[in-house]
Amino acid sequence: SNVIIDGASVYSLQGDTFTWINDPSILGWTNAAEARVSPLERLTAVCLLVAFMPALLAFALLQWARRRPVYHSHDGYVPDGVSITGQQKHQNLKLKTLTSLNDRFNKLPWLSEVINGNLHLVGIGLPSSNSTYPEWAYELQNRRPGVINLHDSHRTALAAETHYVEDLYYLNHRNRPRNLFILLRWVFQLCTARFSISNRKHEARL
C-alpha cells in the first residue's frame, strides 16, 4: 500500500480505498507543525504594545481608583503534538485578560506571548483544555494559535464547529497580505470601537 501525507493528515491507499491513519503507534510522537514565531511577528507585537501602552496605563489607573480588578488570569492551551499513547499534548500559558467591555482591548496583554514566542500574532483561535476536534478538523490540533483570528470580526459568540470551519479556512488561504489585512482590520476596529471601561451596566444585569 501507499502512504499519502496531506498536511497533518496521513492516509493509506490500498487500491481505490483511502484510510485515514490516526494510530499513534504508527505515527509516533508529533510536534506542533508551527513551532516558531517569526521575528517580524515579535517586532510587530512590541510596536503594538508600545502604541497602546497609554491606554493600558489609563485603564489600569482608573480600575485601581475604582477598586476594581484590572485583569483576570486564566490558562491558555497551545497544542504541542500527540504523545505515543495518543493523548493530545498541550503547553499551558498563564494569560492575563483585561476586564473592559471590549474584547479586542482585553487581549492586548496577550501580545507578550507573541514576544515570548508562544502565540502567533495572527492565527487560528486558542482552544480550550477540553477541545475535541472533529475528524475533518484534525489538522487544527497541531497548529499554533494566534492572538488575532477571524473570530474577532464577529460580535456574537460562535458555535465550536463554526470556529473550526473559520480556522480551516484561514489555514487554507493564509499568506502575508491576508495576515496584514486581518491585523490592520483588527487595529482599526480596536481604535474606532465604541466601548466603555465601566462595568456598571453589566453589574446591573447581574
Side-chain angles (χ1 to χ4, degrees):
S1 63
N2 297 320
V3 175
I4 299 176
I5 300 177
D6 181 14
S9 301
V10 180
Y11 300 89
S12 173
L13 174 61
Q14 296 179 336
D16 296 329
T17 304
F18 284 89
T19 303
W20 178 52
I21 300 176
N22 189 29
D23 187 342
S25 64
I26 298 175
L27 298 178
W29 184 84
T30 58
N31 286 319
E34 300 177 0
R36 294 187 178 181
V37 177
S38 71
L40 181 58
E41 289 179 279
R42 300 184 190 212
L43 178 60
T44 305
V46 170
C47 293
L48 287 173
L49 277 177
V50 171
F52 287 101
M53 188 58 66
L56 291 172
L57 292 176
F59 174 75
L61 288 173
L62 182 58
Q63 292 295 86
W64 176 79
R66 300 166 64 196
R67 298 182 180 180
R68 293 181 178 176
V70 177
Y71 64 86
H72 66 90
S73 299
H74 58 96
D75 290 331
Y77 300 90
V78 175
D80 195 24
V82 180
S83 69
I84 192 65
T85 61
Q87 298 295 319
Q88 179 66 43
K89 300 177 64 178
H90 290 90
Q91 173 189 359
N92 288 6
L93 300 180
K94 296 297 183 181
L95 297 175
K96 292 182 174 60
T97 301
L98 299 179
T99 56
S100 79
L101 300 181
N102 185 305
D103 292 335
R104 298 181 187 88
F105 184 78
N106 291 343
K107 292 170 69 174
L108 285 177
W110 294 18
L111 294 174
S112 62
E113 297 298 337
V114 180
I115 299 172
N116 293 332
N118 294 323
L119 294 176
H120 285 298
L121 183 60
V122 179
I124 64 173
L126 190 70
S128 62
S129 60
N130 58 353
S131 293
T132 302
Y133 295 93
E135 180 177 329
W136 51 267
Y138 181 75
E139 182 180 2
L140 297 176
Q141 66 181 350
N142 289 321
R143 299 293 179 174
R144 185 173 295 277
V147 174
I148 306 168
N149 50 68
L150 293 180
H151 317 327
D152 293 330
S153 62
H154 298 278
R155 296 183 179 179
T156 58
L158 298 176
E161 295 232 342
T162 306
H163 280 262
Y164 298 148
V165 170
E166 289 197 342
D167 286 339
L168 286 173
Y169 177 86
Y170 168 79
L171 288 179
N172 290 327
H173 296 85
R174 61 179 173 167
N175 51 48
R176 287 188 176 180
R178 184 177 295 274
N179 281 354
L180 179 60
F181 173 77
I182 294 173
L183 172 62
L184 292 178
R185 183 179 62 178
W186 185 83
V187 173
F188 175 79
Q189 291 175 336
L190 175 59
C191 293
T192 59
R194 298 178 59 186
F195 70 97
S196 171
I197 60 178
S198 171
N199 293 327
R200 290 180 181 174
K201 292 182 179 180
H202 178 67
E203 290 171 352
R205 287 196 297 269
L206 296 178

